[in-house]
Amino acid sequence: ILYSDFIKELKCYVKKEILKRTKISKKEFEKRALAIAISSIKYSMLKQDVSKPIIFNKEESLSFEGNTGPYLLYTYARARSILKKSKKKIPQKIFPKKISDLEKNLLVQLNYFPEAIIQAYNSLSPNVIANYAFQIAQTFNEFYHSFPVIDSDEEEFRLVLVDSFSQVLKNALNLLGIQTIENM
């Protein structure tokens, strides 16, 4: 199979999914479709253990849910959307009154990023970073579904948390060669 045919096929599928969700300019439409298609290929292959045969399942890798590149891009775009919607600036220092277990768990996982990079480097295993990115995305989504960010009593702290998460996820995806997009 030629790469050019393969990427066209993936882009066609992604375009159908984008049209279900939003209307955008043709230029932005093409840009998003390509970014999502490429993320599905790269992430699908890089998340797998390098010592095992690599299996690419098109339907699974293009899903906007689960352990996929499009899911990670969607989670990143969601975090960035929260930050755009907020009318408050992100403070440099914040001391929350109370931190929930989910918030604490997300903070601990974000703090693990440098260690994940070192482990991936030492073992020559990009799947360590891919799996880390998926874990923090899952934790972020649990947090997001459990706690309001905008107009909450802890809005400033949660904005810092969302901003930190989006930066770490962007860095992890960048290490995998996956370009983030602000909107899905």
Side-chain angles (χ1 to χ4, degrees):
I1 184 168
L2 293 176
Y3 176 76
S4 59
D5 294 337
F6 184 54
I7 199 73
K8 281 181 191 173
E9 182 180 342
L10 294 177
K11 275 179 64 179
C12 183
Y13 177 84
V14 170
K15 286 178 178 180
K16 290 177 188 173
E17 291 298 312
I18 292 172
L19 288 174
K20 289 179 188 177
R21 292 168 166 75
T22 188
K23 285 189 168 191
I24 53 175
S25 71
K26 184 173 173 106
K27 182 179 176 183
E28 182 64 22
F29 181 67
E30 291 295 328
K31 178 183 166 190
R32 278 190 210 175
L34 181 62
I36 294 168
I38 290 174
S39 79
S40 72
I41 296 168
K42 286 183 178 182
Y43 185 79
S44 178
M45 294 189 179
L46 292 173
K47 75 178 181 179
Q48 299 182 50
D49 187 335
V50 293
S51 64
K52 296 179 181 174
I54 294 175
I55 299 167
F56 182 81
N57 180 320
K58 181 179 78 170
E59 289 78 22
E60 182 183 301
S61 72
L62 286 167
S63 176
F64 283 61
E65 297 174 4
N67 192 2
T68 66
Y71 170 78
L72 295 177
L73 291 180
Y74 179 75
T75 303
Y76 174 80
R78 171 181 280 166
R80 300 308 298 169
S81 175
I82 293 167
L83 297 171
K84 286 177 193 168
K85 287 179 184 175
S86 175
K87 294 177 175 73
K88 293 186 178 181
K89 289 191 177 190
I90 299 169
Q92 294 298 314
K93 292 183 181 182
I94 186 75
F95 300 99
K97 296 173 190 153
K98 188 169 93 172
I99 299 177
S100 72
D101 288 341
L102 277 175
E103 291 165 325
K104 192 181 302 180
N105 188 22
L106 184 54
L107 285 168
V108 167
Q109 285 186 5
L110 292 174
N111 193 47
Y112 179 70
F113 184 50
E115 193 173 321
I117 294 169
I118 292 167
Q119 183 183 353
Y121 173 78
N122 288 336
S123 63
L124 300 175
S125 301
N127 64 307
V128 171
I129 294 172
N131 293 327
Y132 170 79
F134 178 64
Q135 288 173 349
I136 63 166
Q138 281 187 305
T139 303
F140 172 77
N141 281 316
E142 287 176 36
F143 155 73
Y144 174 74
H145 289 296
S146 299
F147 298 102
V149 175
I150 297 173
D151 295 330
S152 69
D153 291 340
E154 295 292 337
E155 181 174 359
E156 289 181 336
F157 168 69
R158 290 180 181 161
L159 287 172
V160 170
L161 192 57
V162 171
D163 185 52
S164 298
F165 160 76
S166 70
Q167 186 60 58
V168 170
L169 182 59
K170 181 177 183 170
N171 292 345
L173 293 174
N174 185 44
L175 288 171
L176 297 173
I178 298 172
Q179 178 185 1
T180 56
I181 52 179
E182 296 284 323
N183 299 300
M184 287 292 278

